[in-house]
Amino acid sequence: MIDPQDLANRLPGDFVLGTATAALQIEGAADQRGRCGWDDFADQPGRIVDGTTPAVTTDHFHRVEEDLELMRAAGLDGYRFSLSWPRIQPDGSGRVDEAGLDFYDRLVDRLLELDIRPMATLYHWDTPLPLEAQGGWKVRSTAERFGEYAALVGQRLGDRVADWVTINEAATVVMNGYGLGVHSPGEEQLCRAGSVARNMLLGHGHAARALRSVPVRGRIGITNAHTPVTAETDSKKDRAMAGLLDFVHNRLFADPVLLGRSPELPKGLPLPTQVLLKAVSRMSRKDLDLVSQPLDFYGLNYYFPSLVAAGADPDGMSPDGESEAAKDLPFRLLDWPDIPQTGFGWPIAPDGLRRIAEEMAARYGRRLPAVVITEGGASFPDEPSADGSIDDEERISYLARHLDVAADLATGAVPGFDLEGYYVWTLLDNWEWAAGFTQRFGVVHVDVETQERTPKASYRWLTRLQAARR
Ligand code: IFM
């Protein structure tokens, strides 16, 4: 077990250690915001494993002071939260709900009072329902609406938010939401993947430009989830499919944003796959200029590495659930032999983080700005013991081992990859999208019946680590 004191000695003094959350996963108070695509999705029978909805979740909207106190008491340096677009702009355009904006205004003020660095994500998957009804990210106009929303939020919070993330994990939205249908809006249209990705890239571009022109005082970045990809065998087919997954997760968004050019399709892809990615592989110069404005930091979410083989899973299993469309994918993901897994079945492999750092430094060189790990964490079936305590040793080990690699990356282990911080996913056991409350990622347990918060052993470990750093 890694000693918190040892880790504390190795993390630079200005390294930001915080927790990350997303509005729809914790806020609740659905009666005080507009509806979003996920509200409709969750209302459809069978979509969410345990039948729960985002209506109440952890009721953070009403318990924000209690949750801030948890952060303060742990001595956390930063807090990454997302702004609920439908709480601020219920129709996704035009009218602003001032009460919604007030909530975030107060949140930012309180964070600053507590000396916790505020990082605000503009879009963490809660597309306002009226926009979703008009085509969501399938249509270019959503990108423009997103830019307008970014501008109005920037005007209100731009003097105090330290870091802005435009979009969180666009690849997950493209694949799970529009391609495989296991997330909102539940569409199984893999053929749309290229145009949805292009529109989300444009959304990022419009938002970054809007924030710059306000101008906001904080730094601007984007967050993508990256996974190092390994082919099961050295066969041509397996290698081509590893290239495809690498393209989707590691380059589809990062290449246009950081290099200002369309990502090059890997060699050996079957023709239908090339066709469906056409929209993004042939973006116009004007679009690429919008998308590739210089960023102040790059947000990296790292959870696990991927092992890939050619050929669809005959049962239609995608990593995030069953999907008819997954039977049309030209690849499937495999379990890693001999690597322990989280509750979600994700392999626990801190070395994958080092590999991603090496790959990114090699590919982007000087175009890679400072990096912040905007999410990392693990779900485990934590159950309170008889005395009410929750001893989540596996999560402590997960965090310690990943922070150990982070400490190396923050001190020059991979030249060109300058790591500035790590945000633990997540503070509270939250509503884990299609998994509802069946996957618990929090360092604080939440009883969803009573809303009682119980810090787990991992929360106390983080507290000790932060105390040791001071
Ligand atoms: O809960 C999600 C989060 O919303 C996006 N990144 C991955 C997390 C764990 O699945």
Side-chain angles (χ1 to χ4, degrees):
M1 176 62 68
I2 296 162
D3 176 15
Q5 183 62 60
D6 177 50
L7 201 47
N9 294 343
R10 295 181 45 234
L11 286 169
D14 56 359
F15 187 84
V16 178
L17 181 54
T19 52
T21 62
L24 202 71
Q25 296 182 267
I26 62 164
E27 282 180 4
D31 55 345
Q32 293 176 62
R33 62 164 169 79
R35 280 178 75 80
C36 68
W38 272 95
D39 292 307
D40 264 20
F41 184 79
D43 282 349
Q44 297 164 22
R47 290 298 203 179
I48 311 297
V49 174
D50 58 4
T52 53
T53 74
V56 179
T57 62
T58 70
D59 198 29
H60 166 78
F61 187 82
H62 297 113
R63 293 164 202 266
V64 57
E65 275 304 324
E66 185 180 350
D67 297 339
L68 282 165
E69 173 53 22
L70 284 164
M71 290 179 233
R72 187 207 60 77
L76 295 170
D77 307 311
Y79 177 49
R80 173 175 177 232
F81 55 96
S82 83
L83 306 167
S84 160
W85 191 354
R87 196 180 290 294
I88 292 172
Q89 221 181 9
D91 300 324
S93 61
R95 183 176 65 91
V96 173
D97 185 337
E98 290 299 331
L101 254 182
D102 286 349
F103 173 74
Y104 299 108
D105 205 307
R106 281 194 303 273
L107 174 63
V108 171
D109 279 348
R110 290 289 292 127
L111 287 167
L112 293 174
E113 277 164 27
L114 299 173
D115 203 17
I116 299 173
R117 185 179 175 94
M119 175 185 275
T121 304
L122 289 171
Y123 179 76
H124 200 125
W125 308 355
D126 41 3
T127 309
L129 196 55
L131 285 187
E132 198 68 81
Q134 288 160 30
W137 290 107
K138 285 181 298 185
V139 295
R140 262 180 106 103
S141 53
T142 297
E144 286 151 29
R145 298 298 81 75
F146 185 58
E148 291 158 13
Y149 153 73
L152 71 91
V153 167
Q155 275 149 15
R156 181 72 173 268
L157 307 176
D159 55 338
R160 285 157 293 148
V161 166
D163 300 300
W164 294 91
V165 171
T166 54
I167 289 183
N168 181 71
E169 288 185 21
T172 313
V173 178
V174 172
M175 288 304 289
N176 284 356
Y178 291 89
L180 300 174
V182 293
H183 279 186
S184 171
E187 298 194 3
E188 301 192 25
Q189 299 191 31
L190 281 167
C191 58
R192 299 267 194 172
S195 49
V196 172
R198 183 205 49 218
N199 294 336
M200 295 196 79
L201 279 163
L202 294 175
H204 159 75
H206 282 296
R209 179 148 81 194
L211 292 175
R212 289 260 185 253
S213 62
V214 166
V216 296
R217 290 176 66 181
R219 307 187 312 162
I220 300 171
I222 186 174
T223 281
N224 289 307
H226 286 248
T227 176
V229 182
T230 303
E232 188 195 22
T233 71
D234 208 27
S235 74
K236 219 166 151 189
K237 279 188 174 168
D238 282 353
R239 278 188 288 122
M241 289 307 126
L244 177 58
L245 195 76
D246 179 55
F247 173 90
V248 171
H249 279 287
N250 301 324
R251 297 196 289 109
L252 178 57
F253 290 92
D255 280 12
V257 164
L258 296 176
L259 300 177
R261 61 169 193 245
S262 294
E264 216 170 287
L265 285 175
K267 302 231 176 333
L269 288 187
L271 195 62
T273 314
Q274 293 182 31
V275 171
L276 67 87
L277 292 169
K278 201 174 74 193
V280 79
S281 60
R282 297 206 197 136
M283 286 176 77
S284 71
R285 188 65 258 157
K286 191 162 164 252
D287 284 352
L288 285 166
D289 286 346
L290 175 69
V291 163
S292 61
Q293 298 155 73
L295 294 180
D296 303 306
F297 70 96
Y298 187 86
L300 164 66
N301 290 355
Y302 174 72
Y303 286 94
F304 55 82
S306 299
L307 185 63
V308 181
D313 183 320
D315 300 327
M317 282 313 292
S318 84
D320 295 272
E322 212 177 317
S323 150
E324 273 302 305
K327 294 182 185 160
D328 297 332
L329 283 176
F331 62 82
R332 62 190 184 283
L333 291 181
L334 307 172
D335 278 345
W336 287 89
D338 307 325
I339 299 190
Q341 298 181 342
T342 70
F344 240 149
W346 297 350
I348 303 174
D351 264 0
L353 177 54
R354 197 183 307 269
R355 189 173 143 198
I356 277 295
E358 286 163 356
E359 289 177 1
M360 291 189 81
R363 188 176 317 127
Y364 301 116
R366 295 161 65 91
R367 307 293 292 268
L368 183 66
V371 178
V372 178
I373 295 175
T374 39
E375 286 180 30
S379 65
F380 291 108
D382 316 309
E383 281 305 322
S385 53
D387 66 358
S389 63
I390 298 152
D391 197 9
D392 56 341
E393 283 300 319
E394 287 172 298
R395 184 170 291 100
I396 295 177
S397 158
Y398 180 101
L399 292 176
R401 292 177 60 208
H402 284 75
L403 282 168
D404 192 42
V405 176
D408 285 348
L409 298 176
T411 47
V414 175
F417 189 94
D418 299 325
L419 185 64
E420 294 186 338
Y422 189 104
Y423 288 76
V424 174
W425 188 268
T426 177
L427 180 69
L428 307 169
D429 283 341
N430 61 17
W431 191 71
E432 181 52 38
W433 309 109
F437 276 101
T438 63
Q439 296 295 331
R440 291 175 173 268
F441 278 84
V443 293
V444 174
H445 179 270
V446 177
D447 178 327
V448 280
E449 299 303 323
T450 63
Q451 294 296 348
E452 189 185 351
R453 273 84 164 130
T454 307
K456 302 178 190 177
S458 56
Y459 171 92
R460 287 192 292 280
W461 182 85
L462 276 179
T463 309
R464 281 203 303 282
L465 171 61
Q466 287 298 79
R469 289 182 67 207
R470 299 212 159 79

